[in-house]
Amino acid sequence: MNGAVATPPWSRRAATGPLHTLGYILFGLFIFFTCFTFMKPSPYDFLAPPTILLWFLLDIRIHRATLIVIALLAIYLAAILVSLIPYLDESLPVEWTYQTVYLGITGIFFVMFFSDDTARRVTFGLKAYLAGCLFAAICGILSYFDVVGESILFKMDGRASGVFQDPNLLGSFLILSALYLIRGMLVGETRRVFLSATALLVILACVFLSFSRGSWGACVVGIALTIGLTWATSPSRAIRRRIARLSALALVVGAVLIGGLLSVDSVAERFTDRAQVTKDYDEGETGRFGNQRRGIPMLIDRPLGFGPLRWRRIFDLEPHNTYIGGFANGGWLGGFAFISIVLTTTFVGFRLCLKPSPYQGLSQVVFPALLMFFLQAFQIDIEKWRHVYMMLGMVWGLEVARLAWLAGQRDAGAAEFRIS
């Protein structure tokens, strides 16, 4: 049973046929519309209930290996609900909490969904996500150069936003697909190299034009981590040489791409403005970091935190730090639950990437991207980012599959020993 809670036979039978096909269609659309944040509610929100309900009626289940992350997610959400109680008469905290709980539930669904038929489902999810990223990247580039006008696509402070209202979110959203395309080309899994390379250039150009310092750093480090893990764990010298050659070529192409973009005066001017470690709103007693220094001692004295969305009431800004936000919104319990989710997932993710298994390659795409979000959480609020919950589910689903594979290897070895 692989440590899974048993499902009724009718459910497993229903998992084949038209309903199963419909489930994948709904799931593909569900993932594609992750990029639609400019509509509220968005197609993503309309697709979530029927997709989740249908798959619950089909064949998703809870595996023993995922109990820890599901329990931590439940504790995190429960802590926020408890902290909300004094502010139930305020609409904004209630709405924010509702959205957070809803996203947490999708996270639990993703963990369950990716825990079975894992390779197929993760690959399918990555392809649907890539389609959404390409759409978002093209819209972002069009918005930056005012091709269709700001009345249709977003542009904020001279930075590409496209279908996102926040260029920081757009830049970070694209990182996973960039890693997916890069690793596919490095190990020769990509059949259409020219199309993959073109898609990669479009995505990286949009990341650059988002002028998000966090996204820039996360993209560069994520690419380096994916390449490094792939090179270090490859058993083939030929593949290692291929990785080295393509990485060198990528550096040259990337430099040419950035140079070409910087040749545009407006791009160069915005780059000069954004390429600073800190901005005015980061510094000073009432800046981002000043607020954090003043807020942390206050949170130490408040086991229930400030309450959902109350930090902004006190400091006139969001915390721009998800770890501090966990304590502010959900108290000590919520803060430590969020940190525990990050630490346990990071441990599992590195093990997936370093230990040989049929799921190592997919892990070297998904986990570096998720790790970059965990690092970005120190300087931005990621608890409302839909794709973070999807990647969280992918990592834990891959871990379930790896453990099942290991159990199969041990059983096969034991059977061979008995026969001999």
Side-chain angles (χ1 to χ4, degrees):
M1 293 295 292
N2 186 32
V5 177
T7 53
W10 68 266
S11 176
R12 290 191 288 273
R13 287 197 299 270
T16 61
L19 280 180
H20 202 246
T21 301
L22 177 61
Y24 273 100
I25 292 172
L26 285 176
F27 185 80
L29 292 171
F30 181 43
I31 296 301
F32 174 81
F33 283 117
T34 306
C35 66
F36 276 63
T37 65
F38 65 100
M39 299 169 60
K40 294 183 180 180
S42 75
Y44 179 93
D45 301 312
F46 285 115
L47 283 165
T51 302
I52 293 174
L53 178 60
L54 179 57
W55 278 104
F56 266 105
L57 293 175
L58 292 173
D59 62 350
I60 65 171
R61 51 188 174 157
I62 296 176
H63 290 256
R64 186 174 294 120
T66 65
L67 287 176
I68 182 171
V69 71
I70 290 176
L72 288 171
L73 274 169
I75 291 170
Y76 173 67
L77 299 177
I80 291 175
L81 286 170
V82 170
S83 296
L84 174 68
I85 292 174
Y87 311 105
L88 288 172
D89 58 337
E90 298 183 20
S91 60
L92 285 179
V94 170
E95 180 182 352
W96 184 91
T97 301
Y98 164 77
Q99 292 172 351
T100 303
V101 171
Y102 154 66
L103 290 172
I105 291 172
T106 66
I108 294 172
F109 162 71
F110 284 130
V111 170
M112 297 171 66
F113 177 82
F114 289 118
S115 293
D116 286 303
D117 200 7
T118 301
R120 177 190 179 190
R121 292 181 181 179
V122 171
T123 301
F124 180 79
L126 288 172
K127 289 180 178 178
Y129 190 82
L130 172 60
C133 284
L134 280 172
F135 176 80
I138 292 170
C139 289
I141 293 171
L142 292 176
S143 73
Y144 181 82
F145 291 105
D146 293 322
V147 175
V148 294
E150 293 186 33
S151 60
I152 298 177
L153 298 173
F154 289 103
K155 182 178 180 180
M156 191 186 86
D157 191 28
R159 301 160 62 194
S161 294
V163 291
F164 288 87
Q165 292 176 303
D166 183 356
N168 298 308
L169 179 51
L170 170 61
S172 295
F173 177 80
L174 301 174
I175 293 172
L176 174 61
S177 285
L179 302 188
Y180 178 52
L181 290 169
I182 286 170
R183 193 183 187 282
M185 289 188 288
L186 287 178
V187 298
E189 294 176 352
T190 301
R191 295 181 181 179
R192 299 175 178 86
V193 177
F194 177 76
L195 289 178
S196 294
T198 302
L200 179 61
L201 289 176
V202 170
I203 287 173
L204 293 179
C206 190
V207 172
F208 181 81
L209 293 175
S210 71
F211 292 102
S212 167
R213 294 167 295 169
S215 299
W216 289 347
C219 190
V220 170
V221 177
I223 291 172
L225 186 58
T226 290
I227 293 174
L229 288 169
T230 303
W231 186 88
T233 58
S234 174
S236 168
R237 290 185 178 181
I239 292 181
R240 287 189 177 189
R241 287 194 295 270
R242 176 188 176 92
I243 291 172
R245 288 196 300 268
L246 288 179
S247 298
L249 177 62
L251 286 174
V252 174
V253 173
V256 171
L257 174 65
I258 293 174
L261 289 171
L262 289 176
S263 67
V264 180
D265 291 340
S266 60
V267 175
E269 181 180 352
R270 180 56 55 189
F271 176 80
T272 302
D273 176 64
R274 294 295 300 174
Q276 302 177 34
V277 177
T278 61
K279 301 287 288 180
D280 293 340
Y281 51 78
D282 294 320
E283 302 166 348
E285 189 66 17
T286 58
R288 179 197 312 193
F289 302 129
N291 289 341
Q292 293 173 4
R293 286 193 297 270
R294 290 185 294 142
I296 291 174
M298 298 169 67
L299 291 172
I300 293 175
D301 297 328
R302 290 172 170 80
L304 294 179
F306 296 141
L309 218 61
R310 304 290 298 182
W311 180 281
R312 65 165 64 171
R313 288 285 191 93
I314 299 171
F315 300 107
D316 295 323
L317 285 173
E318 298 294 351
H320 293 301
N321 182 310
T322 312
Y323 300 99
I324 294 176
F327 287 94
N329 297 318
W332 295 355
L333 186 60
F336 283 118
F338 184 81
I339 291 174
S340 299
I341 291 171
V342 171
L343 292 178
T344 54
T345 304
T346 300
F347 173 79
V348 166
F350 271 115
R351 185 168 62 185
L352 278 165
C353 290
L354 295 171
K355 296 288 186 179
S357 80
Y359 308 98
Q360 188 179 60
L362 289 171
S363 301
Q364 291 172 349
V365 171
V366 177
F367 174 65
L370 181 58
L371 180 62
M372 292 307 100
F373 289 124
F374 289 160
L375 295 177
Q376 280 190 280
F378 283 103
Q379 53 91 34
I380 200 167
D381 306 299
I382 69 166
E383 73 276 359
K384 301 292 284 296
W385 290 7
R386 302 164 178 170
H387 46 293
V388 170
Y389 295 92
M390 180 196 74
M391 285 185 275
L392 187 71
M394 285 181 172
V395 168
W396 283 93
L398 288 164
E399 173 67 358
V400 169
R402 186 188 71 87
L403 292 175
W405 174 78
L406 280 178
Q409 295 290 100
R410 286 195 295 268
D411 291 344
E416 184 179 347
F417 176 77
R418 287 195 297 269
I419 293 173
S420 62

